[in-house]
Amino acid sequence: YSWTIPSFPSGVTGDTNGSGPGITGTLTNTTNSTQTVTYVVTPASGTCPTSTFNVTVTVRPEPSVSISGDAEVCYGVTTPDITFTNHVDLPVRVIYRINNEADLTIDIGGGATATLPAVISQEQDYVYSLRSVAYQESPGCTKPISGTATITVKPVTTVVISRTPAGTVCYGTQVTFTSAAANEGTGADYQWYVNNNPVNGENGNTFTSTTLENADKVKLIVTTKDTPCPGPVSSPEVTMT
């Protein structure tokens, strides 16, 4: 047998002719869609007359996927998205990892994107890394791939308050509230509130009162300045009995 390829589709390359007991060679498709290559084959047997026939080969491109979604967020405030983009016109299945842990998979349609919310459980970096990609239907053309998206989760300020004495008290009893704040940085502003009204001059770690009444609600708002996630943060309210 001898064979030729009269014309290549745009973006496809390979050997154009050859001879032997079977067609050999490598076809490369650099486009984003499936291409078809037609071989014209001429058999030969001594001096006998011959006629040509065609052999059609369907060539898939290499699967190609990228990842995006780098972000810095405050813990518990926002959940960013991770986006996987399929650059070819066939559906693919992607294997990826989070912080190099167990393999995870996601399916993406041809020429499409797939978005999922980042998995955030604590303050740290979450690195999404691509591992491999394959077509969802045979032949899979499995290919190792690389690429990362990093979510940096920054700590937020938390504020809780406690009071002494606890429980039910008599009117006129001196009650002291004490704050416990985490990640407040330096130079944070403190303001105590009773029934959502700021108490004049009460801007420290503690607040003492002898005039609280039944059902009064006390809270502390801490406003940070030099933290990764600055701004006002309120403690849960404490209700007086």
Side-chain angles (χ1 to χ4, degrees), residues 19-192:
S19 62
I23 296 175
T24 60
T26 300
L27 296 175
T28 301
N29 180 358
T30 60
T31 73
N32 292 330
S33 59
T34 300
Q35 301 293 327
T36 299
V37 174
T38 300
Y39 290 84
V40 178
V41 182
T42 302
S45 178
T47 59
C48 295
T50 63
S51 59
T52 62
F53 61 91
N54 293 342
V55 173
T56 300
V57 178
T58 300
V59 187
R60 286 182 168 178
E62 282 192 328
S64 175
V65 170
S66 60
I67 188 173
S68 60
D70 288 350
E72 293 185 351
V73 299
C74 297
Y75 179 66
V77 177
T78 58
T79 300
D81 289 332
I82 300 296
T83 300
F84 300 82
T85 301
N86 180 9
H87 299 287
V88 295
D89 294 337
L90 296 168
V92 296
R93 175 162 296 162
V94 176
I95 296 178
Y96 68 98
R97 290 180 180 178
I98 304 174
N99 289 350
N100 207 32
E101 297 179 353
D103 284 348
L104 301 169
T105 62
I106 186 169
D107 290 341
I108 314 173
T113 61
T115 301
L116 52 83
V119 178
I120 295 173
S121 60
Q122 60 182 342
E123 300 152 359
Q124 65 176 44
D125 286 343
Y126 294 85
V127 180
Y128 285 69
S129 56
L130 299 177
R131 306 292 294 174
S132 65
V133 60
Y135 292 119
Q136 294 180 25
E137 295 181 357
S138 181
C141 304
T142 303
K143 174 187 174 183
I145 54 176
S146 61
T148 61
T150 302
I151 306 295
T152 299
V153 183
K154 297 180 177 182
V156 297
T157 304
T158 57
V159 183
V160 295
I161 59 175
S162 58
R163 69 181 178 93
T164 304
T168 301
V169 299
C170 296
Y171 179 78
T173 300
Q174 177 173 292
V175 181
T176 299
F177 296 84
T178 303
S179 71
N183 302 319
E184 77 271 31
T186 59
D189 293 331
Y190 288 67
Q191 178 63 63
W192 291 90

